[in-house]
Amino acid sequence: MNNPPVLYIVIPCYNEEEALPITSKRVAALTDDMIAKRIIAPESRILMVDDGSKDRTWEVIAGLCRSDARFEGVKLAHNAGHMNALWAGMRMVCEFCDALVTIDADLQDDVNAIYGFLEKYREGCDVVYGVRKDRSTDTAFKRTTAQGFYKLMKRLGVEMVYNAADYRLLSSRALKALLSFGEVNMFLRGMVPMLGFKTATVEYARGERVA
């Protein structure tokens, strides 16, 4: 890979008007640094998907798009849910990117892990999962229910990456393969491992919501 890849960062948003001013600055700074270091191409973009928010989320996104060419936005007609918002964003950018990263707007997932994602991508991985180092920030109830969830999925025969959420990188060919699934009720954490491409994981520490 001689030329840096065009990367799209897709961020689903639901009632995130307080978080987006902080999130946008952090993600923009990250992309600027990666472009300066020739890790990603200057054509790389940040797509924010408004999942039918009831607050000023869309106004914030529209303002970012007007003031900064790095940002793009799409507004869903109604609240379709997190998975559908991710799906819509992925479909929007599929033809324009070499790789895509999905991350939630609250930035509990460490954006700096994207450097590691792209390192694995350059090594030939088509799927890179962001994996939490531990669940020390969770309540005891949350840790117990999370462990129960993964055990149940395993018993049902669902292949999943432990402690991986919807923070991941997909190459364009992995993305196209994923989008070819004719699913209606989507569960991306179970669908992505079914693709069969070369994968890797990058560990990160999960933080608090930015707002």
Side-chain angles (χ1 to χ4, degrees):
M1 298 181 187
N2 297 321
N3 297 320
V6 175
L7 177 72
Y8 266 74
I9 300 175
V10 175
I11 307 175
C13 308
Y14 180 67
N15 293 345
E16 296 286 3
E17 66 170 300
E18 294 183 6
L20 287 186
I22 304 169
T23 300
S24 60
K25 288 179 181 178
R26 289 191 188 176
V27 178
L30 177 81
T31 56
D32 282 346
D33 185 63
M34 292 193 295
I35 290 170
K37 293 176 178 175
R38 291 187 52 79
I39 297 173
I40 61 175
E43 297 82 11
S44 300
R45 295 290 183 267
I46 303 158
L47 175 70
M48 293 185 167
V49 182
D50 180 9
D51 184 22
S53 297
K54 298 177 181 178
D55 62 359
R56 295 182 58 258
T57 291
W58 179 246
E59 293 178 43
V60 175
I61 293 173
L64 287 167
C65 295
R66 287 192 297 268
S67 62
D68 192 331
R70 291 170 296 185
F71 288 92
E72 298 179 359
V74 59
K75 180 177 174 60
L76 303 187
H78 58 86
N79 178 230
H82 187 263
M83 290 294 106
N84 288 301
L86 280 175
W87 194 263
M90 291 190 294
R91 290 187 67 87
M92 288 285 293
V93 307
C94 181
E95 299 300 324
F96 307 107
C97 67
D98 297 308
L100 163 148
V101 168
T102 56
I103 187 171
D104 289 347
D106 58 21
L107 289 194
Q108 285 187 282
D109 300 318
D110 182 7
V111 294
N112 291 311
I114 295 175
Y115 290 104
F117 288 6
L118 287 160
E119 182 177 346
K120 297 296 184 183
Y121 170 78
R122 289 193 297 272
E123 292 173 0
C125 293
D126 289 287
V127 180
V128 185
Y129 300 98
V131 175
R132 296 174 60 174
K133 290 180 179 178
D134 55 55
R135 288 186 171 271
S136 58
T137 58
D138 288 350
T139 63
F141 176 77
K142 177 65 174 177
R143 287 194 295 271
T144 301
T145 54
Q147 290 172 357
F149 171 74
Y150 282 105
K151 289 178 180 178
L152 175 61
M153 290 295 104
K154 186 175 182 178
R155 288 180 180 177
L156 292 174
V158 179
E159 182 182 353
M160 292 178 62
V161 177
Y162 186 70
N163 274 351
D166 290 308
Y167 185 27
R168 67 175 72 86
L169 175 145
L170 296 172
S171 70
S172 59
R173 70 171 185 165
L175 177 59
K176 289 173 183 176
L178 178 64
L179 293 175
S180 69
F181 284 17
E183 298 292 333
V184 176
N185 298 311
M186 287 168 291
F187 181 51
L188 293 177
R189 295 186 209 181
M191 293 165 61
V192 173
M194 295 171 61
L195 296 176
F197 292 107
K198 183 178 179 180
T199 68
T201 60
V202 173
E203 290 190 341
Y204 66 95
R206 189 169 171 85
E208 300 294 330
R209 283 182 55 91
V210 297

